[in-house]
Amino acid sequence: MRALRLMAWQSPAVLTDVDVPTPGPGEVVVQVGGAGACHSDLHLMHDFGPGQLPWEPPFTLGHENAGWVHRVGAHVSGLEPGQPVAVVGAWGCGRCARCRAGLETACERPDLAPVAGGGGGLGLDGGMADYLLVPAARYLVPLPEGLDPLHAAPLTDAALTPYHAVRRSWLKLTPGSTAVVIGVGGLGHLGVQVLCATTAARVIAVDTRESARDAAKRSGAEHVLAPGPDLTAQVRELTGGVGADVVLDFVGSDETLAAAAAVVRQLGDLTIVGLGGGSLPVSFFGLPYETSVQSTYWGNRSELVEVLDLAARGLVHADVHPYSLDEAPAAYEALAAGAVDGRAVVVPREHYAP
C-alpha cells in the first residue's frame, strides 16, 4: 500500500510503498476513510531535529483518523469488520493511574506505551495510508449513526482539542460571561462551535483574515474582530469594561498571547492552545488578579465520545476539504501557506465506504 511518510527530520514527507499491516493479539487494522492534515505535522517536518522528541522517523503521518474496522487480532471483542470507527490519537500505557482514569494524554509511564509520548502519526505509523494498525481496541470509538469517517477524522483532534480546553473552563462560561477565541482557523472555528453548543457564553472571535471572521460568524460568534491596536478597547466595550472571562488562544504567538493577557478579566482563564512558539511573562502585577494561565493538550477518549455525539446531532461540524493520498503533499503546502479555511482531510480511497 502507499503511505505518506516522514523519513527524516526537517524534510517534507514523501509518498512511498509499505506493507499492509497484520494485527497481532489485541490489535486492530483500520481501513482509513480520512486522515486530517494538521499544523503540528508541519512542525514535525520543519522544526524538530534529532533528540528533541522521544521518537524518531521514519513513520507515516496522520494523527487525526477515522475509517472502518478491517481486521481484528486475537482477543479483540466488541468490534466487527466494516464497523465505522474514530481513532483516539494519544496512546498511553493503559496501566498507570492516569491512563486507568482515561487520561492517556497524561500517561505517567510512557516507557510502557506503544511509543513514548505519541501515537499513530506521532512516532508510530499514522493514517495517511490505506490501512492503519491500532495497537489496542480501547483506542477506537464507534461512530454514531449519521457521521461518516471523512467528517469524523478531523474531529479527533481539531474538535477534541478545543472541546477539552473549553470543558476545563465550563464553570466560568455561565450566562452573562464572555469567551474570546483568538485564531479562527482549523481548530478555532471548531472552538467557536463548541462554545456555542455547550455553554451560554457570548463569543467574540478574533482573526486577521476576513474569511476566517466570516466563518466564525457562521459558527455562532456574536462578534468578530480583527487584531490591532484597538482590540483591547473593543473587547472592553463589548464586555462592559471588565474583559473576557475565558480567552482561548489558538495561535500561541508572542503577539496573540499579549493580546490575550490584555483582554482577560480578573478571575478569568487564559488558555494556550496554539503552538505558535510565543511566551507570556507571568508575574503578580503582570495579569489581572487571580487570572489562571493554562496550557492544554488534546483530549481523552470519553471527551471524544461526547464530541462525536455533538457532531452526529449537527452541533459541531468541521469544514472539510478532501485531498486524495496523491494530493497529500499539496495539502500540506496549502496548509503552510494559510490557504485552508477549515480542515484538509486526506482520503486514501476514492469511495467513502468500506
Side-chain angles (χ1 to χ4, degrees), residues 86-94 104 113-114 134-141 301 304:
V87 183
V88 179
W91 297 349
C93 71
E104 299 208 27
V134 178
R138 71 177 184 277
Y139 301 135
L140 297 176
V141 176
R301 189 186 191 281
L304 180 56

Side-chain angles (χ1 to χ4, degrees), residues 25-346:
E27 297 178 337
V28 180
V29 173
V30 172
Q31 178 186 314
V32 179
C38 184
H39 267 283
S40 58
D41 295 333
L42 295 174
H43 291 295
L44 291 177
M45 294 184 213
H46 304 300
D47 297 336
F48 290 102
Q52 291 184 270
L53 292 173
W55 26 264
E56 298 287 333
F59 55 86
T60 301
L61 291 176
H63 59 268
E64 298 181 343
N65 303 305
W68 303 270
V69 174
H70 178 63
R71 293 181 60 188
V72 300
H75 315 305
V76 173
S77 61
L79 295 171
E80 299 294 336
Q83 183 176 1
V85 290
V87 183
V88 179
W91 297 349
C93 71
R95 306 178 192 179
C96 70
R98 293 283 172 85
C99 283
R100 291 198 305 272
L103 305 176
E104 299 208 27
T105 52
C107 176
E108 296 176 315
R109 290 297 307 271
D111 56 306
L112 300 177
V115 59
L122 299 169
L124 291 178
D125 288 340
M128 292 202 177
D130 292 308
Y131 298 96
L132 165 65
L133 179 66
V134 178
R138 71 177 184 277
Y139 301 135
L140 297 176
V141 176
L143 293 186
E145 186 175 353
L147 186 60
D148 62 78
L150 171 65
H151 292 89
L155 303 179
T156 62
D157 182 0
L160 178 58
T161 295
Y163 182 80
H164 178 71
V166 170
R167 204 174 193 276
R168 293 182 67 186
S169 294
W170 269 352
L171 292 177
K172 297 183 180 180
L173 294 168
T174 55
S177 67
T178 299
V180 170
V181 175
I182 300 178
V184 196
L187 270 70
H189 86 288
L190 286 159
V192 171
Q193 294 178 42
V194 168
L195 283 163
C196 294
T198 67
T199 81
R202 174 196 299 111
V203 179
I204 301 172
V206 181
D207 202 287
T208 58
R209 299 164 298 160
E210 184 177 1
S211 62
R213 296 195 296 272
D214 289 343
K217 198 73 172 178
R218 293 193 302 270
S219 295
E222 290 189 35
H223 304 281
V224 293
L225 303 173
D230 298 327
L231 177 63
T232 301
Q234 290 173 317
V235 173
R236 296 284 174 185
E237 181 179 358
L238 292 171
T239 58
V242 300
D245 299 88
V246 176
V247 182
L248 301 163
D249 184 354
F250 286 93
V251 181
S253 67
D254 286 338
E255 293 78 9
T256 58
L257 288 171
V263 302
V264 71
R265 69 180 297 182
Q266 293 181 17
L267 296 172
D269 283 355
L270 191 167
T271 301
I272 305 167
V273 185
L275 302 177
S279 59
L280 176 67
V282 176
S283 63
F284 189 90
F285 295 109
L287 291 166
Y289 293 144
E290 298 195 36
T291 296
S292 296
V293 178
Q294 54 196 20
S295 62
T296 186
Y297 177 58
W298 221 332
N300 59 56
R301 189 186 191 281
S302 63
E303 290 171 334
L304 180 56
V305 172
E306 295 168 1
V307 166
L308 296 175
D309 177 74
L310 291 173
R313 293 161 56 198
L315 298 174
V316 171
H317 173 77
D319 186 6
V320 168
H321 302 275
Y323 291 79
S324 70
L325 187 55
D326 287 338
E327 296 170 329
Y332 281 112
E333 291 175 5
L335 197 62
V340 178
D341 286 328
R343 299 301 284 182
V345 179
V346 173

